[in-house]
Amino acid sequence: MAISLAQRASEPVTLSLNVLRLLQYAANVAILIGAHLIAVQVRLRLTWGNPLGAEYEAQPPLFFLIIAVAQALAYLLASWAARTPLRRWLTPRSQFRLLILGIGLTVLGTLWLLPDLSQLQLVYFGVAAAVVGVGGIVFPARINPQQDSGIFFMHLQRLWQNRALLGLWLRYNIQTRYSQTVLGIFWIVLLPLAMSGVLALAFTQFLRISYDVPFIVFFLAGLVVWQLFSSGIFGGMNAILSKIGLINQVNFPREIAVLLVIGEGLVDFCFTFLAFVVVNALNGIYPSATWLYLPPLLFVLICFTLGLMFFLSSLSLMIRDIPQLFAVIMQLLFYLTPILYPVQNVPEQFRFIFIINPLGLIVQAFRDVTVYGRAPDALSLYYPLVAALTLLYMGYAYFKANESRLADFT
Amino acid sequence: MIALEERSQTTLEGDSAPIIEVRGVYKQYVRTTYRPSLRHEALSLLRRLIRKQTVAQPFYALQDVSFSVARGESVAIVGRNGSGKTTLIKLLSGIMRPTKGSLRVRGRYASLIGLQAGFIGELSGRKNIYLNAAFHGVMPRQIEPYVEDIIEFAELRPFIDTPVKHYSSGMSARLGFSIAIHVLPEIIFLDEVLAVGDAAFQQKCIAHMLKLRAEGRTIVFVSHDSSAVRLLCERALWLHKGRLRMDGESDLVLEEYEYFMQHQPPDSQ
């Protein structure tokens, strides 16, 4: 049992430079492939330029090979340039230029080897790769110049060593929360049920909008997802603020305070989801094989929420206006996410909102799986997945870069 | 699984390198009159862009502090209020990071800062024992055999299942101290926690800390109680206005410090 390691945060981990570069290289390739998936998704759904539509064919494996080879070439070029006077412009350490070089080489290689590939598609790929790459690699390195991938893994290692603390704390928090009220869990389930009951009355009886499934089922499917997200966001903004006394007195990995919030949110989610299953069954919809998609969907949702929470928890400590601001933003986001209405009812020119908002895609996929019993559009899952992972990486890096300043802001 | 005691024995017989190394540490606090808000953030950003200067006045809580502590040494930190003692302890236990300079602590430590000692008010004393041990890097399974000893030492047996928010400051300080010594750390950082306990408990604590010292553990101890310092520490650091004014044998440092305190009225800065 390694206990002596648990608090040695001040000891730097020295990874050899080769390992660091290999990690960087792997991250670059992964990001380019993720960006490719986003590009395909955006290209399929948006009608800017010539839409690919139904006649779209999957990319040949050669494309992925080109990405890997172009990245390797970029690294070779960079390490060659580091030994010449060119090192003012390019070394294996200059991450942004390396990324741009890799994207450029990939685009050129594709134009040469795969001439039939749509050129608009390549433009989309380049833009998506630049955006995701800046988010995933350049931004975390910029906010904290000392933060190499090695330090990042050290943070994760320290978190892993403190997993017992996280588990224990979470258990105690849940115990106290459910034991304090008489009806306990009932309150958590009551809110979504009451809300959907009232809205069902308003939408189907007063407004007379018709849905293809019972409204209460349709709405609950969205609300269950939304509640997990919003409880994470609102809890996340309070996660550090409410524990500031503790943070001033004991040293523990601060992200545990944030993870506690999402842990509690997940426990609540289990109960509301159970209520949702019961309501479904009452309306004649039973679990089917497509429900196997739920764990990956939930994973994407949690990564997305956590990424935002890491940003908000440290920001709301430094700028106290953030919680008020987000009360408004969340209200807007609720209506910009297809929770109350199906996307099919929205005019064509506004559809892009639901493709840009990853949460909207997650909600739609969740509803497809649970209510309609059909597999979600696999391509539209890539984009939320890549967005969520990028956001999580960025948020965690930002949080850890500001971690040592948290105790100063009291 | 290696028992906590064996584990801690093996680490105590470590190398002879200094267990704490502090080199040229500065800690700067930004003195702000208002709570930072979006408006202030934006305004200060504007001002910084235009005049290239910071708005808030910097205040150094620690300036150029350097010292090192050998394994098994016990060191007291003395100084007036606001001289940076608590800041130093917070830096050592990793709660804050220095603005400049390097700081290195090798080994597992337990720190006891503030009267609440990192307890969560809603939870009972017993749950807080497990949680606090986990904060100090000790798993629940490892602390299990010591829980009864901790309760016994803190003299809290009738109250152990009441929430900590109902405890008096003396009670929570007792529990915090009891946990900190029972997780068997290599280094203990103490920040004036003994001051709230009654005389009998202070005697007990000092006796126990002497035992810990004899076992070869390192103690860093902030106190205004000079008799406790003389009894417990062979070495003392005197911090004055964020600078290390004197570092040496505790008798000598305390003599100087007391002389200074008598001839310098406390209100003159």
Side-chain angles (χ1 to χ4, degrees):
Chain A
M1 195 75 345
I3 47 168
S4 61
L5 272 169
Q7 306 266 336
R8 283 188 191 173
S10 55
E11 301 222 345
V13 164
T14 44
L15 276 176
S16 71
L17 208 60
N18 283 334
V19 177
L20 265 181
R21 282 187 190 152
L22 192 70
L23 286 172
Q24 199 83 42
Y25 170 77
N28 255 342
V29 174
I31 273 174
L32 286 181
I33 289 174
H36 165 68
L37 297 174
I38 288 187
V40 171
Q41 142 76 17
V42 171
R43 188 79 190 89
L44 275 180
R45 294 301 189 79
L46 292 188
T47 46
W48 298 326
N50 300 322
L52 290 170
E55 59 267 25
Y56 169 77
E57 279 174 32
Q59 298 289 344
L62 186 59
F63 185 73
F64 297 107
L65 195 68
I66 292 172
I67 291 179
V69 170
Q71 278 298 301
L73 214 62
Y75 269 87
L76 283 179
L77 273 176
S79 47
W80 168 77
R83 276 181 268 117
T84 65
L86 282 174
R87 66 172 162 271
R88 271 190 61 193
W89 290 287
L90 192 67
T91 62
R93 274 263 188 257
S94 52
Q95 291 159 331
F96 181 66
R97 287 164 199 168
L98 201 58
L99 184 80
I100 295 298
L101 184 65
I103 296 172
L105 285 175
T106 308
V107 169
L108 286 179
T110 313
L111 283 178
W112 178 40
L113 289 170
L114 286 170
D116 359 324
L117 202 72
S118 151
Q119 290 177 12
L120 197 62
Q121 164 87 52
L122 268 183
V123 172
Y124 274 105
F125 164 74
V127 173
V131 170
V132 178
V134 168
I137 288 186
V138 182
F139 169 77
R142 275 291 149 82
I143 51 167
N144 185 2
Q146 285 129 31
Q147 181 153 354
D148 286 321
S149 334
I151 310 245
F152 191 77
F153 287 119
M154 200 187 76
H155 290 324
L156 288 183
Q157 187 194 8
R158 186 165 174 235
L159 181 61
W160 176 247
Q161 281 158 358
N162 280 284
R163 66 194 182 279
L165 173 64
L166 177 63
L168 199 68
W169 202 345
L170 190 61
R171 211 176 72 212
Y172 287 163
N173 269 4
I174 289 166
Q175 277 172 6
T176 44
R177 205 147 66 102
Y178 290 133
S179 62
Q180 268 166 2
T181 52
V182 184
L183 292 172
I185 298 153
F186 174 74
W187 293 115
I188 291 153
V189 180
L190 182 71
L191 177 74
L193 285 182
M195 197 170 166
S196 48
V198 172
L199 282 174
L201 188 69
F203 273 68
T204 55
Q205 302 301 316
F206 300 168
L207 274 172
R208 298 229 168 248
I209 302 172
S210 62
Y211 291 85
D212 45 0
V213 287
F215 175 81
I216 190 158
V217 173
F218 180 88
F219 178 64
L220 258 185
L223 192 66
V224 165
V225 173
W226 175 260
Q227 275 211 325
L228 180 55
F229 175 72
S230 76
S231 73
I233 295 298
F234 285 116
M237 286 189 292
N238 253 324
I240 301 294
L241 269 175
S242 62
K243 294 193 176 60
I244 202 70
L246 210 59
I247 279 167
N248 247 324
Q249 288 174 351
V250 269
N251 180 15
F252 60 96
R254 310 300 191 205
E255 63 265 33
I256 284 182
V258 179
L259 291 174
L260 273 181
V261 173
I262 199 93
E264 285 173 38
L266 265 177
V267 173
D268 288 353
F269 175 80
C270 289
F271 292 116
T272 47
F273 187 73
L274 267 180
F276 170 63
V277 171
V278 171
V279 170
N280 265 7
L282 289 178
N283 284 290
I285 298 165
Y286 299 102
S288 63
T290 51
W291 288 45
L292 287 175
Y293 280 103
L294 283 180
L297 266 176
L298 214 57
F299 173 77
V300 173
L301 179 63
I302 288 169
C303 288
F304 183 70
T305 315
L306 260 183
L308 277 176
M309 280 163 74
F310 278 132
F311 272 114
L312 290 177
S313 57
S314 45
L315 269 177
S316 60
L317 191 64
M318 298 171 202
I319 307 168
R320 304 281 168 123
D321 303 57
I322 292 278
Q324 279 88 339
L325 182 69
F326 257 76
V328 179
I329 291 180
M330 289 294 282
Q331 198 61 246
L332 294 180
L333 200 58
F334 180 80
Y335 290 105
L336 289 181
T337 307
I339 295 168
L340 279 170
Y341 47 83
V343 186
Q344 292 83 343
N345 290 12
V346 178
E348 190 71 42
Q349 74 255 37
F350 296 120
R351 292 264 177 95
F352 70 93
I353 294 173
F354 307 106
I355 295 165
I356 289 167
N357 174 9
L359 197 64
L361 287 171
I362 295 172
V363 166
Q364 266 173 278
F366 188 83
R367 191 176 283 141
D368 274 351
V369 167
T370 52
V371 177
Y372 297 107
R374 59 183 178 223
D377 180 2
L379 218 48
S380 69
L381 282 183
Y382 293 144
Y383 166 57
L385 178 67
V386 176
L389 288 180
T390 310
L391 202 65
L392 180 60
Y393 181 69
M394 279 168 69
Y396 191 56
Y398 182 79
F399 185 84
K400 290 309 271 193
N402 280 304
E403 187 185 41
S404 58
R405 292 168 65 205
L406 290 182
D408 294 353
F409 280 96
T410 49
Chain B
M1 195 183 96
I2 310 168
L4 198 53
E5 230 155 36
E6 290 169 35
R7 169 91 207 171
S8 118
Q9 273 313 316
T10 52
T11 46
L12 285 181
E13 296 150 6
D15 54 319
S16 58
I19 197 161
I20 300 171
E21 254 187 299
V22 177
R23 272 204 214 118
V25 160
Y26 287 76
K27 178 68 195 179
Q28 180 190 355
Y29 289 120
V30 180
R31 225 189 305 197
T32 43
T33 17
Y34 303 102
R35 274 179 148 188
S37 73
L38 200 61
R39 187 165 59 91
H40 285 98
E41 202 83 354
L43 274 179
S44 70
L45 200 73
L46 255 176
R47 263 177 236 165
R48 250 176 283 170
L49 280 178
I50 295 166
R51 291 191 209 146
K52 309 229 169 201
Q53 66 179 32
T54 50
V55 186
Q57 212 182 358
F59 165 73
Y60 282 96
L62 288 176
Q63 288 186 61
D64 198 15
V65 173
S66 311
F67 62 93
S68 67
V69 177
R71 200 172 280 272
E73 214 173 354
S74 53
V75 179
I77 302 174
V78 295
R80 303 232 315 250
N81 287 341
S83 58
K85 304 185 296 290
T86 301
T87 304
L88 184 58
I89 290 281
K90 279 187 179 174
L91 288 178
L92 284 173
S93 52
I95 291 166
M96 295 192 286
R97 240 163 273 177
T99 315
K100 220 166 90 184
S102 76
L103 197 134
R104 206 176 163 91
V105 177
R106 297 164 218 256
R108 197 163 59 86
Y109 56 79
S111 62
L112 202 52
I113 297 166
L115 299 179
Q116 274 305 306
F119 290 137
I120 294 172
E122 285 75 35
L123 298 180
S124 71
R126 191 184 297 274
K127 284 178 178 173
N128 263 307
I129 291 177
Y130 288 102
L131 207 57
N132 217 285
F135 279 138
H136 294 141
V138 177
M139 306 270 175
R141 277 174 304 166
Q142 293 170 312
I143 198 71
E144 190 73 64
Y146 299 91
V147 168
E148 292 307 311
D149 293 349
I150 290 172
I151 300 170
E152 204 58 57
F153 188 89
E155 301 162 18
L156 280 174
R157 171 128 357 242
F159 308 106
I160 199 65
D161 289 316
T162 30
V164 170
K165 64 183 169 191
H166 299 308
Y167 281 21
S168 71
S169 55
M171 282 158 86
S172 50
R174 251 150 54 196
L175 188 59
F177 182 80
S178 181
I179 296 168
I181 54 173
H182 280 91
V183 296
L184 299 177
E186 291 163 63
I187 314 165
I188 305 182
F189 299 121
L190 287 177
D191 180 24
E192 294 185 66
V193 257
L194 292 187
V196 287
D198 53 27
F201 189 74
Q202 279 188 22
Q203 286 300 317
K204 198 165 139 187
C205 289
I206 288 170
H208 204 94
M209 272 154 74
L210 283 171
K211 205 179 110 201
L212 290 179
R213 207 183 84 178
E215 285 169 13
R217 299 181 205 283
T218 311
I219 299 171
V220 177
F221 178 50
V222 168
S223 184
H224 292 295
D225 179 0
S226 44
S227 64
V229 171
R230 281 210 174 84
L231 208 62
L232 211 60
C233 306
E234 65 260 34
R235 184 176 158 200
L237 308 173
W238 175 12
L239 283 178
H240 186 66
K241 290 183 183 170
R243 289 181 183 278
L244 192 60
R245 183 144 172 172
M246 206 173 160
D247 173 4
E249 225 170 289
S250 58
D251 285 332
L252 287 173
V253 173
L254 278 176
E255 210 170 291
E256 281 286 313
Y257 175 61
E258 276 158 6
Y259 179 83
F260 174 81
M261 288 296 275
Q262 275 161 13
H263 292 79
Q264 189 104 356
D267 50 345
S268 78
Q269 277 294 317

